[in-house]
Amino acid sequence: MSALWIRHPMAAWTANDQDAGNGIVVENGVITELVASGTYPSQPVDLNWDASEHVLLPGLVNTHHHFYQTLTRACPPALNKKLFPWLQTLYPIWAGLTPDALAAATELAMVELLLSGCTTVADHHYLFPNGLENAIDIQAETATRLGMRATLTRGSMSLSTDDGGLPPPRVVQDEATILEDSERLIRQYHKQDANGLLEVALAPCSPFSVTPDLMRASAELAAQHSVSLHTHLAETRDENDFCLKTFGQRPLDYLDSVGWLHNRTWLAHGIHFNDEEIARLGEAGTGICHCPSSNMVLASGICRINELKAAGTPVGLGVDGSASNDHSNLMQEIRQALLIQRLRYEADEFTHTDALSLATKGSADVLRRDDIGELAVGKRADLALFKLDELRFSGAHDPLAALMLCGASQADAVMIGGEWKVRDRQWLGGDTQALMARHREAARRLFNG
Ligand code: ZN
């Protein structure tokens, strides 16, 4: 494969502030050189690409989503509800999810993320109604076809309303089925492709949707195969109350008791932890995915990012499912993180680059990937390039800060593993209008039953 010099960016956000003022060189899907200001690539290049109107970032990494929820955005019965009643309203609608609808939702969410500069996605899929047993296979096929890096989490729910849980019986599975399919998916997809596209993690939906036995068995299976564990935890005060009532323990004590408190686990939200719990999370190296928009929409609270990071916890960023955000734009989510954290911390305690770090190196650490999330020699050539040619950027002086403060939303160009996926703000992999038409129809059918 030929060497490509992406030259003269307006700004390049590199690992450890290395000088890449004259750009980077990409070859065989990886970054092979950072070209310092006033210098040229050390080896001859075959191609060059003018980035003089672009801000160059590592591809953004999203660590929590529910792709299927793009079908129930701004859904009337669920508007303005708290988490538990919101879930109880939506589960009966989601129970009608079909393979075609999930395929459309997965592709649409991936393309929406891609256009916002995101190159790696983690999806938390835990709905397996009859006929949708192959949900993760559908997602694996879509990610592979799009050439998008994905951590597909095999979610699960085993407690229905019949057992004191929240979801209706027709969307839960028995535990033997869940574990058998989890093992099959790990063997079939986890790190099985040459380009580092697909990984698998195990992800019971939440402490209130599976039994302690399934939490333990999932942890054992994940340990056997060295894959990660993922779930929702400490999202709301109601959840703390529920865990105390049901298990006689706070959520983190419960998590610890079922063998989950270690560095192969990452947790979505992680809001309602006390100081002692934060210290334990840091010591264990358990990751947290901050989901600011979702936390604001559902009035859940504000994640204590600085205390978690100081304790040693990797903290990444996620857009969360599209029923509680309701967009899948990771660049906009960085701005949301910056703004919400300024309500908790002083302006100089949480900076625009702190917010950007969440969605890059922070998210890569949460997914335990050392090959992405930074512009540095040897990292995969996953890149997001933004132009500052809209009204909102006019008059901006610091190009990098402008992305967050003026509110960038669409990448002009996106590369994954050395291949362009977006150019001139257009997805190169298919017809966006046709995808939206298919997705809108699937959403209409799901909502109307
Ligand atoms: Zn979620």
Side-chain angles (χ1 to χ4, degrees):
M1 203 187 273
S2 45
L4 168 68
W5 177 22
I6 295 173
R7 61 181 166 82
H8 306 131
M10 291 175 78
W13 196 57
T14 59
N16 306 315
D17 292 326
Q18 295 173 81
D19 184 359
N22 267 6
I24 63 171
V25 178
V26 166
E27 196 170 1
N28 294 325
V30 299
I31 298 168
T32 53
E33 187 173 355
L34 302 186
V35 186
S37 307
T39 68
Y40 290 89
S42 58
Q43 305 288 329
V45 294
D46 307 290
L47 298 164
N48 66 70
W49 197 85
D50 179 9
S52 58
E53 293 180 20
H54 295 84
V55 181
L56 171 61
L57 303 180
L60 307 178
V61 181
N62 186 50
T63 55
H64 186 67
H65 204 315
H66 311 285
F67 292 156
Y68 76 88
Q69 292 183 7
T70 57
L71 298 164
T72 51
R73 298 197 232 229
C75 191
L79 293 175
N80 310 318
K81 284 199 163 74
K82 288 169 65 176
L83 178 65
F84 280 16
W86 175 87
L87 282 169
Q88 284 159 327
T89 304
L90 286 165
Y91 274 133
I93 299 172
W94 293 337
L97 193 65
T98 62
D100 283 351
L102 179 64
T106 300
E107 185 162 343
L108 187 116
M110 283 186 174
V111 172
E112 190 185 356
L113 283 161
L114 188 60
L115 288 166
S116 77
C118 174
T119 53
T120 300
V121 299
D123 192 56
H124 190 179
H125 188 86
Y126 49 79
L127 269 188
F128 294 83
N130 277 341
L132 193 57
E133 290 78 7
N134 62 340
I136 305 300
D137 302 271
I138 290 170
Q139 296 195 315
E141 186 278 324
T142 307
T144 306
R145 181 161 44 81
L146 269 57
M148 192 133 190
R149 251 176 257 296
T151 298
L152 301 173
T153 77
R154 204 300 179 186
S156 52
M157 295 194 292
S158 63
L159 291 177
S160 73
T161 44
D162 290 351
D163 318 294
L166 294 176
R170 62 188 186 280
V171 300
V172 308
Q173 291 180 303
D174 69 73
E175 303 192 349
T177 303
I178 290 166
L179 291 167
E180 195 179 311
D181 193 47
S182 297
E183 182 148 31
R184 174 186 73 82
L185 291 165
I186 293 169
R187 290 187 193 284
Q188 195 165 339
Y189 298 117
H190 183 65
K191 295 188 175 179
Q192 294 299 307
D193 63 292
N195 301 317
L197 285 185
L198 293 188
E199 299 199 351
V200 173
L202 303 186
C205 180
S206 65
F208 41 84
S209 51
V210 301
T211 64
D213 281 350
L214 186 62
M215 290 293 284
R216 270 189 216 98
S218 297
E220 282 162 19
L221 186 59
Q224 264 173 36
H225 294 275
S226 201
V227 302
S228 291
L229 290 163
H230 180 50
T231 193
H232 295 97
L233 204 83
E235 180 174 359
T236 62
R237 291 189 198 287
D238 287 356
E239 180 192 330
N240 279 10
D241 296 344
F242 179 92
C243 279
L244 280 169
K245 200 170 102 205
T246 311
F247 307 116
Q249 289 172 307
R250 286 171 57 84
L252 194 75
D253 291 327
Y254 174 68
L255 201 75
D256 197 1
S257 74
V258 289
W260 276 57
L261 197 59
H262 49 66
N263 66 1
R264 280 186 297 95
T265 295
W266 90 98
L267 307 168
H269 306 296
I271 297 169
H272 298 285
F273 293 127
N274 60 33
D275 292 345
E276 179 261 340
E277 290 167 337
I278 286 176
R280 282 163 66 199
L281 283 161
E283 198 168 319
T286 302
I288 299 291
C289 170
H290 179 35
C291 303
S293 292
S294 169
N295 298 159
M296 286 186 265
V297 167
L298 295 173
S300 302
I302 307 177
C303 179
R304 299 171 66 189
I305 287 185
N306 284 1
E307 289 87 342
L308 286 161
K309 280 167 61 180
T313 294
V315 183
L317 192 68
V319 298
D320 201 3
S322 300
S324 63
N325 185 326
D326 296 12
H327 66 70
S328 313
N329 189 306
L330 195 52
M331 193 68 219
Q332 288 186 355
E333 203 64 20
I334 296 172
R335 176 176 162 85
Q336 299 284 55
L338 176 64
L339 298 182
I340 195 176
Q341 291 300 330
R342 289 280 175 91
L343 295 180
R344 180 176 283 289
Y345 304 113
E346 296 293 336
D348 58 354
E349 291 172 348
F350 192 83
T351 67
H352 64 282
T353 52
D354 288 335
L356 184 55
S357 296
L358 292 177
T360 50
K361 180 73 165 67
S363 282
D365 289 345
V366 162
L367 296 181
R368 297 192 302 133
R369 291 194 70 143
D370 59 8
D371 57 339
I372 57 172
E374 289 182 301
L375 295 182
V377 170
K379 303 284 177 180
R380 294 190 189 275
D382 293 2
L383 311 175
L385 295 112
F386 289 83
K387 271 190 175 178
L388 305 181
D389 59 356
E390 300 163 53
L391 283 171
R392 60 172 59 223
F393 298 114
S394 187
H397 297 278
D398 180 322
L400 188 68
L403 294 179
M404 272 74 70
L405 295 173
C406 305
S409 64
Q410 295 295 303
D412 182 67
V414 179
M415 174 181 278
I416 302 179
E419 287 185 19
W420 291 114
K421 301 294 179 187
V422 173
R423 292 280 288 274
D424 300 324
R425 295 187 174 87
Q426 300 297 315
W427 175 42
L428 303 177
D431 180 342
T432 311
Q433 292 299 327
L435 171 60
M436 281 199 289
R438 184 158 62 94
H439 183 266
R440 276 196 304 265
E441 177 58 19
R444 191 190 60 74
R445 270 201 220 137
L446 183 68
F447 185 62
N448 293 334

